[in-house]
Amino acid sequence: MKNIEDICVTIAIPVYNSEKVIADTVRSIFAQTHKNWKLILVNDGSTDKTAEWLSRIQDDRVTYIDSENKGYVHWLNYFIEVADTPYYARMDADDIMHPERIEKQLRFLEENPSVDLIDTTIYTMDLETMPVGIRNTKDIDFTPSVMLNSGVLTHPSVMGRTAWFKANRYDTYYYRSEDQELWCRTFETSTFARIKEPLLIYREGKVSIKNYAWSIESTKKIIRNYGPRYYSPFTIKTMLLKQDMKVLIYRLFTFFSKQDILTKRRNQPLTAAQHEHAMSIITNNKKVIVPLRD
């Protein structure tokens, strides 16, 4: 096995109107104990001051691209196309990495050559960057009913072999469920694993009913495409009906400004020790210095 320090990892982030949070995200990359990384940042047509801050980053490991808006999935596939390192790590523009995330995921993949892709347990935080919960504390569940109805893996915590990603691109037809479709398409011929340690803090906010409805429509496409492998036509119709009911329930909760209740149900509550741990990551991350041009 190679020395971990000698292995470079590509980290890539599409950024859109993230001026309030992107500094914390980038700080968490500079805080990594594994220093051998390349970071690709794309400003995807932001209309706020995102580009103003990103364009000032001064580090040879960082590539900055200023672009017109081309969309999230476009850039996911672009990153895979240009990645030239053995490993590729996902990240979103409003999350925070645990400082040992890349090191621990890289070590796991190096020690387990049969594994293609891993995610991690995650903490969740609110829009004010306060810890609120924890997810993915159990083994990955790829039973058909779970796979067809949820993302299974936490997309921004995923890291894998670049060759795997190059062989398995995202499908733009499944907008807002592109990750779920990718796992459904590949899980039978791939090996996925999870580090059951919170190595990412995932930011949760209010999802617009428009975006939620788009996500549900994409999930319904997945059920129609992959569901018949496992279930009868009657069961498929029932599953589709349940997805429609989710939209109706979300509309109702949104009408009364109570959609936060639905979001919180995805999380397990934090213990006092977990809350303190998450807060320490957030607090220490604020102290990290990103080199910026004047």
Side-chain angles (χ1 to χ4, degrees):
M1 186 175 72
K2 297 178 182 179
N3 290 327
I4 295 295
E5 297 80 6
D6 295 333
I7 302 174
C8 191
V9 177
T10 295
I11 307 165
I13 308 175
V15 187
Y16 178 74
N17 285 354
S18 300
E19 64 172 334
K20 295 180 180 180
V21 295
I22 189 59
D24 281 345
T25 301
V26 174
R27 286 189 191 105
S28 75
I29 297 171
F30 276 81
Q32 291 300 297
T33 55
H34 185 80
K35 302 300 183 183
N36 195 354
W37 45 259
K38 293 181 179 181
L39 174 60
I40 307 173
L41 292 163
V42 170
N43 174 39
D44 187 28
S46 296
T47 57
D48 63 3
K49 296 182 179 179
T50 293
E52 183 179 315
W53 191 85
L54 289 180
S55 63
R56 293 175 58 208
I57 299 175
Q58 190 170 19
D59 190 288
D60 291 340
R61 296 170 295 178
V62 179
T63 298
Y64 171 64
I65 300 171
D66 192 34
S67 172
E68 62 183 9
N69 185 263
K70 295 184 178 181
Y72 184 71
V73 183
H74 167 85
W75 292 114
L76 293 183
N77 283 326
Y78 171 83
F79 295 147
I80 294 168
E81 182 70 31
V82 301
D84 60 358
T85 61
Y87 295 98
Y88 170 75
R90 279 259 39 252
M91 182 72 172
D92 282 341
D94 54 354
D95 301 329
I96 295 174
M97 288 188 186
H98 184 290
E100 296 180 342
R101 175 198 166 182
I102 297 299
E103 179 184 347
K104 289 188 173 183
Q105 288 188 300
L106 177 57
R107 191 176 301 280
F108 183 98
L109 288 165
E110 279 290 290
E111 293 176 351
N112 297 274
S114 64
V115 174
D116 299 296
L117 196 77
I118 55 173
D119 77 345
T120 79
T121 296
I122 62 168
Y123 288 132
T124 57
M125 60 183 169
D126 61 19
L127 294 177
E128 283 70 47
T129 320
M130 294 298 295
V132 294
I134 189 170
R135 293 186 198 170
N136 292 358
T137 58
K138 299 180 180 179
D139 290 334
I140 299 170
D141 186 354
F142 264 117
T143 55
S145 61
V146 174
M147 179 181 67
L148 294 172
N149 288 282
S150 69
V152 183
L153 304 174
T154 299
H155 196 200
S157 78
V158 161
M159 179 171 164
R161 303 180 193 280
T162 303
W164 184 91
F165 281 100
K166 288 184 181 293
N168 300 285
R169 307 299 175 95
Y170 295 90
D171 190 333
T172 57
Y173 179 67
Y174 297 92
Y175 175 66
R176 292 194 65 83
S177 292
E178 65 285 332
D179 55 327
Q180 181 185 356
E181 189 278 333
L182 180 57
W183 319 144
C184 288
R185 181 175 7 118
T186 59
F187 85 101
E188 291 181 338
T189 57
S190 305
T191 301
F192 300 149
R194 169 169 293 157
I195 296 178
K196 286 183 282 187
E197 180 180 349
L199 297 179
L200 184 88
I201 307 180
Y202 176 83
R203 192 182 303 272
E204 294 185 313
K206 292 183 178 180
V207 179
S208 72
I209 186 61
K210 179 180 179 181
N211 286 342
Y212 186 78
W214 274 344
S215 297
I216 292 297
E217 284 304 311
S218 285
T219 297
K220 287 168 65 177
K221 293 175 184 177
I222 291 169
I223 292 170
R224 293 189 189 101
N225 189 14
Y226 296 99
R229 299 181 186 181
Y230 312 103
Y231 296 110
S232 68
F234 176 78
T235 301
I236 297 299
K237 289 181 180 179
T238 302
M239 295 173 73
L240 293 172
L241 180 60
K242 287 181 178 179
Q243 294 297 323
D244 289 333
M245 289 300 297
K246 287 182 180 180
V247 177
L248 290 176
I249 292 170
Y250 198 88
R251 288 186 186 278
L252 179 63
F253 275 72
T254 299
F255 180 79
F256 291 103
S257 299
K258 298 293 185 181
Q259 60 265 56
D260 288 350
I261 295 174
L262 299 176
T263 301
K264 290 178 181 178
R265 290 185 62 196
R266 303 173 188 170
N267 299 316
Q268 299 174 37
L270 293 170
T271 65
Q274 289 169 338
H275 186 276
E276 183 179 357
H277 181 224
M279 276 304 305
S280 69
I281 296 170
I282 293 167
T283 301
N284 290 332
N285 191 61
K286 291 286 187 183
K287 302 173 184 176
V288 176
I289 298 174
V290 175
L292 299 175
R293 298 183 182 89
D294 294 331

